[in-house]
Amino acid sequence: METADLEEMAERLEASGAYRILRRLAVPTAFNAADGTPTKLGIVLDVETTGLNPGADEIIELGMIKFEFSADGRIFRVVDRFTGLREPAIPVPTEIIALTGITPELLHGRTIRSEDVSAFLAETVIIIAHNAAFDRPFCERAWPDFVSKHWACSSTEVAWRSHGRSGSRLAYLLNEVGYFTDGHRAMNDCEAVLTVLGHGPIDGGTYLGELLASARRLTVRIYAEGAPFDSKDVLKARGYRWFEGSADRPKCWRKDLFEDLLDAELAFLKSTVFSGKGIELPIQRFSAIDRYSIRTL
């Protein structure tokens, strides 16, 4: 059956109100026609790895899409793509093979050259990953050029639920804008992120525009050092996560938030966790250049 006939059937089913149609994702070479607006180059990135620990696990696949965008969040031309496989020094777990379909045979003898990554990153101003706190540390360990780049997280830096989305999981977001993709591979996820970011909330703009605005804001990290043990449930419900400590910081609960929310958060801690006592908690500030970096884990 011809594509046009299938599309007509899909449109009729959708118009009935009884069906919702998902189309296989096919990323266009251009999202918007050039109109003279100044643009910059960004990258959507995803990695597949042997596991979750950037200190012990390794990247086995790197995918990147380079694209032009404007300051207001419009995506213009897809400029280039990069995909590469890399044989790790450790075995690939069976669950990773089952999830990705990337077998040891596919990886044998494969490598991703630093000079190729460096050339692809040239002139780009921002790297977007759907879980930047995961992807960035892995990339920084493998290729030093990633250390000096600005990063943004499309999972956490867009208020998906406030836009009526069911959550931040990429597969859900892609389905909700009308598409599906096969497999769990780096380039598939890059295409999905770029497609979702090119859409926008009902009140106008794009999700990329919101993400860029978030990336420009400073964030702060509060360390709730000395918090009473019985406040752990309150802190966890508030979004704090347990920090195992470091050479210069004790174990404690900590939380990252936008800087303009700091005063309200400190007031909450003082009244709820520290029972009105005077407190001076350690605070760190981050911008897109060091947010999610392995140096700030």
Side-chain angles (χ1 to χ4, degrees):
M1 186 176 291
E2 297 292 335
T3 302
D5 295 332
L6 292 172
E7 187 60 31
E8 181 182 355
M9 291 172 59
E11 290 175 357
R12 291 175 61 187
L13 287 169
E14 288 181 318
S16 72
Y19 298 90
R20 187 165 181 267
I21 305 299
L22 297 179
R23 292 164 174 80
R24 184 181 298 278
L25 179 61
V27 176
T29 56
F31 285 69
N32 290 285
D35 59 4
T37 301
T39 61
K40 296 180 179 180
L41 292 176
I43 283 175
V44 172
L45 173 149
D46 187 68
V47 297
E48 303 299 339
T49 68
T50 59
L52 302 178
N53 183 354
D57 289 300
E58 297 183 43
I59 292 173
I60 57 175
E61 184 177 40
L62 170 66
M64 297 186 284
I65 298 177
K66 187 185 300 184
F67 65 98
E68 293 176 334
F69 69 94
S70 59
D72 62 0
R74 283 177 292 154
I75 300 172
F76 289 90
R77 183 170 58 99
V78 172
V79 176
D80 202 358
R81 292 167 176 256
F82 182 104
T83 184
L85 294 170
R86 177 180 177 274
E87 183 177 18
I90 60 177
V92 182
T94 55
E95 60 268 24
I96 299 298
I97 297 173
L99 176 66
T100 64
I102 301 174
T103 64
E105 291 75 21
L106 283 175
L107 298 173
H108 181 67
R110 304 293 292 272
T111 188
I112 301 174
R113 301 193 309 163
S114 293
E115 53 266 42
D116 292 339
V117 172
S118 180
F120 195 85
L121 296 182
E123 300 182 8
T124 59
V125 299
I126 193 166
I127 297 173
I128 298 168
H130 201 64
N131 185 359
F134 175 84
D135 294 85
R136 180 170 185 171
F138 273 100
C139 289
E140 287 184 346
R141 283 193 179 277
W143 301 288
D145 289 79
F146 284 109
V147 174
S148 60
K149 291 294 182 180
H150 292 79
W151 285 71
C153 180
S154 54
S155 175
T156 62
E157 294 184 55
V158 177
W160 295 112
R161 291 189 183 276
S162 72
H163 298 304
R165 302 304 179 190
S166 58
S168 62
R169 289 190 61 179
L170 184 55
Y172 295 164
L173 295 171
L174 187 64
N175 289 168
E176 288 175 350
V177 298
Y179 296 97
F180 73 94
T181 187
D182 294 325
H184 188 87
R185 294 291 296 269
M187 187 55 68
N188 288 344
D189 286 352
C190 289
E191 292 180 339
V193 171
L194 192 63
T195 298
V196 170
L197 290 177
H199 285 71
I202 296 173
D203 56 354
T206 66
Y207 294 123
L208 176 60
E210 181 175 332
L211 176 60
L212 294 173
S214 294
R216 297 180 188 113
R217 298 167 70 184
L218 291 177
T219 55
V220 295
R221 176 173 292 164
I222 302 175
Y223 294 87
E225 293 181 3
F229 177 79
D230 59 7
S231 66
K232 62 182 179 64
D233 292 336
V234 172
L235 289 168
K236 189 173 182 180
R238 185 81 175 182
Y240 284 78
R241 297 292 178 263
W242 183 249
F243 172 57
E244 286 293 338
S246 62
D248 55 357
R249 187 80 64 195
K251 296 180 179 181
C252 64
W253 292 91
R254 71 182 188 183
K255 178 181 179 179
D256 292 358
L257 66 158
F258 288 118
E259 187 179 40
D260 54 324
L261 303 176
L262 175 60
D263 289 344
E265 191 64 26
L266 290 175
F268 165 82
L269 290 173
K270 182 176 181 179
S271 64
T272 306
V273 175
F274 292 94
S275 303
K277 300 176 182 177
I279 55 171
E280 290 188 14
L281 299 178
I283 294 171
Q284 287 180 289
R285 286 174 168 79
F286 304 108
S287 68
I289 197 68
D290 51 13
R291 199 155 40 232
Y292 312 118
S293 172
I294 196 167
R295 298 164 293 167
T296 62
L297 287 178

